[in-house]
Amino acid sequence: MAPTPTAGLILAAGKGTRMKSDLPKVLHEVAGTPMVRLVVAALAEAGVREPVVVTGYGGELVRESLAPDGCQFVEQAEQKGTGHAALMAAPVLGEFEGPVVVAAGDTPLLTSGTVRGLVEEFLGSGAQAVVASFVTFEPKGYGRIVRDGDVRVVGIVEEKDATPEQRRIQEVNAGLYCFDSATLFRILPTLGTDNAQGEVYLTDVVAAIAAEGGLVTAMTADDPDEFMGVNDRWQLAEASRVMRLRVLRRHAMNGVTIVDPTSTYIGAEVVIEPDVTIQPMTVLEGRTEVETGAAIGPNAWVKDSVIGRGCRVFMSHIDQAVMEAESRCGPFSNLRPGTRLGRKAKVGNFVEVKNSDIGESTAVSHLTYIGDSTVGARTNIGAGTITCNYDGFEKHRTTIGDDAFVGSNSTLIAPRRIGDGAMVAAGSVVHEDVPDDALAIGRAKQENKEQWVASWRERRSGQRDEKANSRP
Ligand code: UD1
Ligand code: CA
């Protein structure tokens, strides 16, 4: 028998007033990813595909953000409550027969395992609805689960509508449900707004099912963190912390040494091979990949880059760059977009490299700018070398061959080619190409004036004595 397909419905129309932001709440990021995308990902991993997302406030932005995720969208023009939001999906899901998972776009810590468990519980129990719940000493703000004995749930009461006695209930609604879709869309249009907030509550579906003799159960979670609803920026920060530790733990379990989890930030999409060491105060973002044996940090920031086998990154900033095996950078290197360091290449302190290829075993060790350049293998670039790649209108390329030597404090005016095995004398301004194996000297010729300083010193001290004697 083919498994029952499960539909998905994500409520994401609210503004999130308590965030005090113009950005729709569900687009605020947790560990670098908009919250609603994390919810969509958890559902997808559990096999709930192409969920219907209800958008409203900032709908266009939400749809844009979810464009790569294969969602269907419906609009809730006015935010009249979670039940009203769910009802907006009727044109898409109204005919669907089977389970529908309903989640909120503001529960970013949801995992696929829990979604799977919820659907299994729904299919196994024969209930018309299963509600995810958790027990907490701080139930404030959540809907309370009202039970009739051990199994049956007979209602969910919102904090604002609860009696003092109901407020003491510590089992709360996590905001994640699995409904029989036909039952849900039959009941939703019948719900009223007779409550403290004058809204249509999705939670009222539970009492309606119970009233007509149906069965609603609750699935209690072990890890309430997972259901943390983000309503303000402090909850956003707390969710980010939980998510960050989750990611770090995953890498640690895969064989990555995380020296200090309190100061290490790794984005959800970063890939790290075993036997990598991440030192304190390191941030790895975007689609960064780190290969085995590499060591990064302390104090490194790496985004959308590849750090190859056995590389060393120390106190550096790396953006859209590729470091091949055993290359090194830092301290204080700035590898900008389009940089590639070949095997065993070395970039040192206060060196900026942009849109350039640095060849195998080449060293650019100190105080240098290499922009729009191709540098060959085994070449040495001396301290203070500058490629002048910009003439105020256009960028030009510099090409430096293999086994070349560029003396310290040289200025290479692009477009320029310095040949294989060529040498540039220190302090040169290079404005002509340098042939292979040639020496270029582009600086004023030095002249030594014998005894010049001695006679100057004598002259000056004589003048000083004259001045002192003539003082009254
Ligand atoms: C809701 C539940 C509460 C539960 C809590 C869990 C209701 C009535 N209450 O309360 O029992 O304990 O979640 O976190 O459902 N939304 C819309 N359109 C609307 C209103 C809300 O799309 O008109 C969306 C929001 O964007 C949000 C989600 O629904 O993603 C939840 O709304 P929110 O206002 O945060 O509900 P809570 O008060 O947290
Ligand atoms: Ca909420």
Side-chain angles (χ1 to χ4, degrees), residues 208-343:
I209 293 173
E212 62 181 34
L215 176 65
V216 181
T217 64
M219 186 185 81
T220 312
D222 305 329
D223 176 15
D225 268 355
E226 208 180 304
F227 298 125
M228 188 192 289
V230 172
N231 298 312
D232 59 42
R233 304 251 191 165
W234 187 241
Q235 288 171 330
L236 184 73
E238 288 186 321
S240 285
R241 180 176 54 80
V242 174
M243 184 59 96
R244 193 166 63 76
L245 289 176
R246 240 191 226 173
V247 171
L248 294 179
R249 184 170 189 281
R250 168 164 60 82
H251 289 297
M253 299 319 274
N254 283 344
V256 176
T257 296
I258 309 285
V259 174
D260 177 22
T262 61
S263 70
T264 304
Y265 299 78
I266 300 181
E269 292 168 308
V270 173
V271 177
I272 311 180
E273 290 182 357
D275 273 332
V276 164
T277 299
I278 311 290
Q279 297 286 350
M281 288 166 287
T282 293
V283 180
L284 307 180
E285 289 187 358
R287 300 188 178 279
T288 291
E289 290 171 36
V290 186
E291 294 172 10
T292 194
I296 304 183
N299 277 313
W301 183 90
V302 183
K303 187 179 179 199
D304 296 328
S305 296
V306 177
I307 311 297
R309 284 177 85 91
C311 284
R312 292 283 175 275
V313 173
F314 182 57
M315 290 200 193
S316 289
H317 180 279
I318 302 181
D319 184 12
Q320 298 167 60
V322 174
M323 289 178 65
E324 290 184 356
E326 292 174 66
S327 59
R328 290 190 285 157
C329 75
F332 310 111
S333 303
N334 184 7
L335 305 188
R336 293 173 50 204
T339 294
R340 190 193 66 91
L341 302 191
R343 281 176 60 88

Side-chain angles (χ1 to χ4, degrees), residues 18 25 104 106-107 141-142 229-231 235:
R18 288 166 280 179
K25 173 165 79 172
D106 66 351
T107 53
Y142 289 99
V230 172
N231 298 312
Q235 288 171 330

Side-chain angles (χ1 to χ4, degrees), residues 347-361:
V347 168
N349 48 198
F350 307 107
V351 172
E352 175 178 342
V353 185
K354 185 215 72 173
N355 188 29
S356 294
D357 225 85
I358 307 290
E360 186 172 333
S361 300

Side-chain angles (χ1 to χ4, degrees), residues 14 43 102 112 117 130 165 205 217 241 266 292 318 332 460:
L43 260 58
V102 182
S112 57
V130 180
E165 198 178 310
V205 173
T217 64
R241 180 176 54 80
I266 300 181
T292 194
I318 302 181
F332 310 111
R460 292 297 287 164

Side-chain angles (χ1 to χ4, degrees), residues 9-19 23-30 33-40 43 53-54 62 66 82 102-110 134 141-142 158 173-177 202 224-240 243:
L9 174 53
I10 298 174
L11 311 181
K15 178 175 194 287
T17 313
R18 288 166 280 179
M19 297 296 280
L23 190 70
K25 173 165 79 172
V26 298
L27 292 189
H28 281 265
E29 293 183 356
V30 163
T33 309
M35 292 197 271
V36 68
R37 292 198 69 188
L38 292 169
V39 176
V40 171
L43 260 58
V53 179
V54 185
V62 176
L66 289 172
T82 49
V102 182
D106 66 351
T107 53
L109 300 175
L110 190 63
F134 62 95
Y142 289 99
E158 291 306 297
N173 171 22
L176 173 73
Y177 322 79
L202 174 60
D225 268 355
E226 208 180 304
F227 298 125
M228 188 192 289
V230 172
N231 298 312
D232 59 42
R233 304 251 191 165
W234 187 241
Q235 288 171 330
L236 184 73
E238 288 186 321
S240 285
M243 184 59 96

Side-chain angles (χ1 to χ4, degrees), residues 18-220:
R18 288 166 280 179
M19 297 296 280
K20 301 190 173 142
S21 173
D22 286 340
L23 190 70
K25 173 165 79 172
V26 298
L27 292 189
H28 281 265
E29 293 183 356
V30 163
T33 309
M35 292 197 271
V36 68
R37 292 198 69 188
L38 292 169
V39 176
V40 171
L43 260 58
E45 240 184 88
V48 181
R49 295 189 197 287
E50 295 182 23
V52 180
V53 179
V54 185
T55 63
Y57 179 83
E60 205 158 305
L61 289 175
V62 176
R63 287 193 291 275
E64 217 171 88
S65 163
L66 289 172
D69 301 286
C71 297
Q72 312 176 67
F73 297 100
V74 295
E75 178 87 7
Q76 184 195 26
E78 245 185 294
Q79 281 69 66
K80 299 183 192 164
T82 49
H84 180 255
L87 184 59
M88 297 300 108
V92 185
L93 295 174
E95 305 288 299
F96 175 74
E97 305 262 337
V100 57
V101 171
V102 182
D106 66 351
T107 53
L109 300 175
L110 190 63
T111 66
S112 57
T114 296
V115 175
R116 234 179 263 125
L118 187 78
V119 176
E120 273 164 24
E121 166 81 17
F122 175 87
L123 296 173
S125 66
Q128 280 73 55
V130 180
V131 182
S133 72
F134 62 95
V135 175
T136 171
F137 293 119
E138 293 175 61
K140 198 168 184 304
Y142 289 99
R144 311 297 202 275
I145 303 284
V146 182
R147 286 173 176 272
D148 168 19
D150 281 348
V151 178
R152 298 175 68 89
V153 173
V154 293
I156 298 176
V157 185
E158 291 306 297
E159 165 108 13
K160 289 184 177 141
D161 302 294
T163 63
E165 198 178 310
Q166 286 170 330
R167 281 190 195 170
R168 282 196 289 274
I169 298 174
Q170 291 182 333
E171 185 184 5
V172 300
N173 171 22
L176 173 73
Y177 322 79
C178 184
F179 289 102
D180 170 59
S181 188
T183 306
L184 175 68
F185 288 101
R186 177 169 54 77
I187 290 173
L188 278 175
T190 70
L191 299 179
T193 56
D194 185 15
N195 54 55
Q197 303 182 79
E199 292 184 347
V200 182
Y201 288 166
L202 174 60
T203 45
D204 283 350
V205 173
V206 169
I209 293 173
E212 62 181 34
L215 176 65
V216 181
T217 64
M219 186 185 81
T220 312

